[in-house]
Amino acid sequence: MQPVRWLGALLCLAWAASASAQGVQALPVGDVLAGPGSVALSADGRVAAHVDPAGSVRLWEAASGQALAGAPDLKRATAVALSRDGRWLAVGQEDGRLQVWSRDDPRQPLRDLRGHSGRVQVLTFAADDRRLASGSDDGTTQVFDTGTGQRLQVLDSLYNGQSVEGVAAPVAVAFAAAGRLLLVQDGRQRQYEGDRITSVWELPQGLEIGLHTATPPSSDDHVRSSGQAVGGGGWLWAYTGAEHLMVQRLDGCTPARALPPKGYADAVAVDPQGRWVAESQGNVLNFVGLAGGTSATVRLPGRALALLPQPEGRALLALLGTWTRDEGAYAAKPGSRTESVLRPARLYRVVVPGPVAAGPALNVAADAATCTATDAQREAQQFGGLDAPPALTVAARLAPTLPPRGGDRPDALAPLERLRFDARGQLLALYTHHGDLRSGVNVWQLASGRSVLARDLARQEEQPVLPWLGMDWLVADADGHLVRATTGQRLLDASDARGVALAADADTGRVYRIAGSAVEQVSAQGQRLPTLRLRGPVRGIAARNGRLLVSYRNGSVELFAGAPLASVLYRPARPANAADGDDTVISALMLSADGRYAHAVGNSSNYETPDEDRAWRLADGQAVGTGTALADLPGRANRVVTLDERAHRVAVWDLDRNTVIARLPRQRSRHADGTPVPLKATLSEDGRRVASASPDGLVRVWDLDARRLLGEARVGAEVQALAFDPAGRQLAVGRAGGAVWVLAVP
């Protein structure tokens, strides 16, 4: 044997002796699939299970590691869970399949639980075994009734559906507080870093009542382990914070408290008796006694992916993984980022240091209650009518009727970008594309269902956001002149400036365009009006109800009103959400109908920074609202419909109250192949009704004041545009392919 190998062997023997002295013992169960959900321990502590790297399920006696019979013969397993007595085994697989098996008959599953579309990562039974929670890399945690197999709830990860932010997937799921709460921790991996997001859900209503985010050091290693745990009979919760381990009692609303030592935890454990908590950081396992503040440290032969305490709290199972660094093709480049490769994991038994485990058990009253949703949370999230939603009637099915044309130009119709009702009861549809597909505008008279206009348009390359004039859109012709879409009437000549700021007042028909340090004005009849002088470089402009809002690059804003237009409000101070060196470009600026609020749609010039919308009150610059706006501000309400923090939900902000007044129940925010797709939504002009649509073609209409689903329809294709009529009694739905359905709203 080579000298180096002799030295390695001696070091291994020395470490084994040291580990044994510290109470760390390797279990003879073989390699384990590296992941927090690949190992399970029954609540009585007798039976353990794991998934090996080949995807097979192994059962063994927890005390000795001796193999047990009764495991199903599977080859693509990814996660396991055991019932309280270890007689039932839940197994999730690579393709999203989820089954419950009995060890008495491993040939046939007791239940097939259907709902996931991606790899199942973590599983857990409720304390009474009547429910099973499963987390998948499809971005959802789902709850099933183990007796009937019925899916009870679908709870989405915070960033599920937002491709820029990275898709989160559950790394830990736990029932708590006598099954009243579900705690879901997601690990989110991005290009250069990751973070963990823990959501607290109130069951069975499925209301989100808490959210905790912690960002680890810049490494994706930290989000592949279980950074939370529940113990103390289900009433004590510990999770990693940004700088400390956090621990919280769940019998009441006492806030979490930080425990030493300082640092971000890889994995977390809580004594089932509630006497201690533990966290791992790298190869160190730290124990903290909760009664007397005693602490102890144990060295580990690897990095913890999961920690599973025995029921008596005197020992725990530790799933330890090791990472190798693959320098790859970039190894020779200074400062290059190496890739992290997680090798198969191994299982160890760790004895809990005696002084830590000597404290008193957690005492919880038999009638203990937990924190529940606040009135504001219930108001925003609870909607009726979901059990038996009425079907919305299809009042009309309209097809685009652009005239045929000859030549070599392709005849394929561009996507349907926008829908609007005009003051005459007509429905206008705008089809635009920045490539070679055919752009055009269609107008239908809804009373007869007859197409009254079909007109070709030039490609709209210079102005991605097309202003609405109240009866028409302002578009570019083949020469770059700005014209009315339906008539071709020229309102502004072509400009050499690319990406010029442009706005139109739908109420007055006036059009505004930035020209250097001035604003050009054109009336609804195409008449030139006096040019307005500006105070500096402009980021964006908006017009509404005879008012013009100018946002300057230094963060100040100026509002013009009256006849002729004159400056009535100028704020030299930056709004609270503006910043020096801000690289966000305002692609669209909206002004509320009463002129009190502005909403800016921002496009970051840095591709690694997500786009951000901003809303603020003009009187004092105070930031209001949040999220990405999904539609124009309504004409008779200070409300804005946005994508919520969770991309599967639509939120409605009341700008006057500066609060979310509605978080609509989930709709699927992905294509069938898992590609994230933003939801569509729009508000009625009075702000009382909101329509939402998902890429699977499901359209819903909600009454915000009554907190109720008015009806839903499936339109058979992905939805590309939505629009209410002025009364909010008809909803136009633009389908992929160009057709438009009009739904009657009760």
Side-chain angles (χ1 to χ4, degrees):
M1 182 179 293
Q2 297 294 326
V4 173
R5 294 187 179 180
W6 273 106
L7 178 60
L10 289 173
L11 289 174
C12 288
L13 289 173
W15 181 90
S18 173
S20 178
Q22 293 196 59
V24 180
Q25 178 188 8
L27 293 172
V29 297
D31 288 344
V32 182
L33 182 68
S38 60
V39 62
L41 179 66
S42 63
D44 64 10
R46 297 180 179 180
V47 181
H50 74 267
V51 179
D52 68 19
S56 298
V57 178
R58 307 295 183 190
L59 283 166
W60 38 281
E61 188 179 70
S64 65
Q66 183 178 352
L68 296 174
D73 184 16
L74 301 172
K75 299 301 181 185
R76 299 186 66 193
T78 53
V80 292
L82 288 164
S83 62
R84 183 171 186 82
D85 60 4
R87 294 184 60 188
W88 286 3
L89 179 70
V91 181
Q93 300 189 58
E94 182 74 34
D95 59 3
R97 284 185 293 176
L98 178 57
Q99 296 169 321
V100 177
W101 301 78
S102 170
R103 289 175 53 204
D104 296 332
D105 183 9
R107 296 169 298 177
Q108 193 73 19
L110 291 175
R111 296 282 181 269
D112 273 302
L113 309 177
R114 301 182 182 275
H116 285 299
S117 60
R119 173 191 175 102
V120 178
Q121 299 206 141
V122 286
L123 294 168
T124 187
F125 281 97
D128 59 6
D129 295 333
R130 294 181 180 179
R131 288 173 294 171
L132 177 73
S134 58
S136 165
D137 69 0
D138 64 10
T140 68
T141 297
Q142 304 189 14
V143 182
F144 297 88
D145 185 313
T146 56
T148 65
Q150 179 185 2
R151 185 171 66 176
L152 303 175
Q153 285 159 321
V154 181
L155 310 172
D156 287 66
S157 298
L158 181 65
Y159 293 106
N160 175 30
Q162 295 185 8
S163 57
V164 173
E165 281 295 302
V167 175
V171 293
V173 179
F175 288 97
R180 301 171 204 168
L181 300 179
L182 188 69
L183 311 174
V184 180
Q185 186 176 82
D186 296 308
R188 179 177 61 149
Q189 294 174 289
R190 294 182 286 180
Q191 183 173 3
Y192 294 114
E193 60 184 14
D195 53 19
R196 285 201 183 109
I197 307 110
T198 300
S199 305
V200 183
W201 300 91
E202 183 185 88
L203 301 176
Q205 293 87 356
L207 300 179
E208 178 191 341
I209 64 173
L211 190 66
H212 305 273
T213 300
T215 301
S218 183
S219 169
D220 60 0
D221 299 347
H222 292 269
V223 299
R224 303 187 189 186
S225 51
S226 176
Q228 73 163 20
V230 172
W235 293 96
L236 190 63
W237 176 36
Y239 58 93
T240 182
E243 296 182 348
H244 289 277
L245 180 66
M246 309 298 294
V247 63
Q248 181 174 359
R249 290 186 62 143
L250 299 175
D251 53 335
C253 291
T254 305
R257 62 188 177 99
L259 295 179
K262 186 175 181 179
Y264 185 93
D266 292 330
V268 177
V270 181
D271 173 27
Q273 309 298 319
R275 296 166 298 188
W276 53 263
V277 297
E279 60 153 19
S280 66
Q281 295 186 37
N283 289 32
V284 176
L285 181 58
N286 300 303
F287 290 89
V288 180
L290 296 178
T294 56
S295 62
T297 297
V298 175
R299 299 288 299 181
L300 300 173
R303 201 162 170 177
L305 300 174
L307 301 170
L308 288 73
Q310 292 279 1
E312 76 286 352
R314 304 293 179 179
L316 57 81
L317 301 183
L319 180 66
L320 306 183
T322 55
W323 278 259
T324 59
R325 294 291 179 181
D326 181 8
E327 304 289 343
Y330 299 96
K333 294 185 178 181
S336 64
R337 179 176 180 268
T338 58
E339 292 298 322
S340 174
V341 179
L342 182 57
R343 298 168 60 189
R346 300 299 298 269
L347 273 161
Y348 294 79
R349 177 178 288 105
V350 180
V351 176
V352 177
V356 173
L362 181 70
N363 184 23
V364 177
D367 59 348
T370 187
C371 252
T372 60
T374 64
D375 290 342
Q377 288 170 333
R378 293 188 186 281
E379 178 188 2
Q381 297 179 63
Q382 284 190 326
F383 283 82
L386 288 166
D387 294 335
L392 296 175
T393 302
V394 181
R397 290 180 171 87
L398 310 172
T401 57
L402 294 184
R405 64 186 181 191
D408 298 331
R409 300 175 66 189
D411 219 33
L413 188 61
L416 200 166
E417 180 179 330
R418 292 195 171 194
L419 288 167
R420 292 297 292 257
F421 288 85
D422 69 11
R424 297 190 294 263
Q426 298 182 138
L427 177 63
L428 287 75
L430 186 66
Y431 303 84
T432 63
H433 196 263
H434 297 175
D436 293 330
L437 298 181
R438 187 179 185 187
S439 298
V441 61
N442 248 119
V443 181
W444 294 276
Q445 177 55 252
L446 291 183
S448 63
R450 183 173 59 90
S451 175
V452 296
L453 184 143
R455 186 170 182 271
D456 267 327
L457 297 175
R459 293 189 306 176
Q460 304 300 309
E461 293 183 330
E462 302 297 332
Q463 182 60 39
V465 178
L466 303 174
W468 172 249
L469 295 174
M471 303 285 282
D472 207 346
W473 280 286
L474 185 65
V475 300
D477 65 12
D479 298 320
H481 304 298
L482 295 172
V483 302
R484 293 183 179 277
T486 59
T487 65
Q489 177 193 5
R490 182 187 300 179
L491 296 180
L492 286 170
D493 292 334
S495 172
D496 294 333
R498 300 180 63 85
V500 64
L502 186 71
D505 189 333
D507 306 289
T508 65
R510 289 186 182 180
V511 179
Y512 304 92
R513 181 174 64 178
I514 298 297
S517 60
V519 178
E520 297 176 346
Q521 298 184 74
V522 178
S523 71
Q525 294 74 34
Q527 178 185 3
R528 286 276 184 163
L529 299 174
T531 298
L532 297 173
R533 306 305 301 178
L534 299 178
R535 300 173 184 264
V538 173
R539 298 180 71 196
I541 59 174
R544 194 75 177 272
N545 273 340
R547 302 180 182 92
L548 174 68
L549 177 68
V550 178
S551 174
Y552 294 102
R553 290 182 184 174
N554 65 1
S556 62
V557 293
E558 189 170 13
L559 184 68
F560 296 86
L565 286 178
S567 177
V568 295
L569 172 66
Y570 175 66
R571 290 191 52 79
R574 292 192 307 271
N577 53 7
D580 290 324
D582 191 347
D583 60 358
T584 300
V585 176
I586 295 180
S587 62
L589 185 66
M590 294 184 285
L591 182 64
S592 64
D594 62 4
R596 294 173 58 200
Y597 300 96
H599 187 107
V601 180
N603 290 335
S604 174
S605 61
N606 181 353
Y607 76 95
E608 295 173 358
T609 303
D611 296 343
E612 180 184 4
D613 284 16
R614 300 171 178 176
W616 69 94
R617 189 165 54 211
L618 292 175
D620 55 12
Q622 180 183 347
V624 294
T626 189
T628 302
L630 297 176
D632 295 338
L633 301 183
R636 302 194 304 276
N638 288 332
R639 291 177 175 179
V640 57
V641 58
T642 71
L643 278 182
D644 195 26
E645 291 174 316
R646 301 183 184 274
H648 67 285
R649 295 191 309 205
V650 168
V652 179
W653 278 83
D654 186 300
L655 299 180
D656 292 329
R657 295 167 55 188
N658 193 17
T659 188
V660 172
I661 60 171
R663 284 191 162 99
L664 302 183
R666 76 180 302 273
Q667 285 185 250
R668 182 176 175 83
S669 57
R670 293 186 174 195
H671 280 307
D673 63 2
T675 305
V677 181
L679 300 176
K680 303 289 186 181
T682 191
L683 280 170
S684 60
E685 287 295 282
D686 59 8
R688 295 181 56 187
R689 295 181 172 188
V690 60
S692 59
S694 45
D696 57 3
L698 175 63
V699 179
R700 289 170 166 171
V701 178
W702 311 84
D703 187 313
L704 296 179
D705 293 347
R707 323 302 299 171
R708 188 167 187 82
L709 176 62
L710 295 177
E712 65 181 29
R714 291 194 176 273
V715 300
E718 183 176 346
V719 175
Q720 294 179 327
L722 293 168
F724 279 107
D725 72 350
R729 303 307 299 269
Q730 296 183 100
L731 177 70
V733 181
R735 302 165 70 245
V740 179
W741 288 13
V742 180
L743 306 177
V745 180

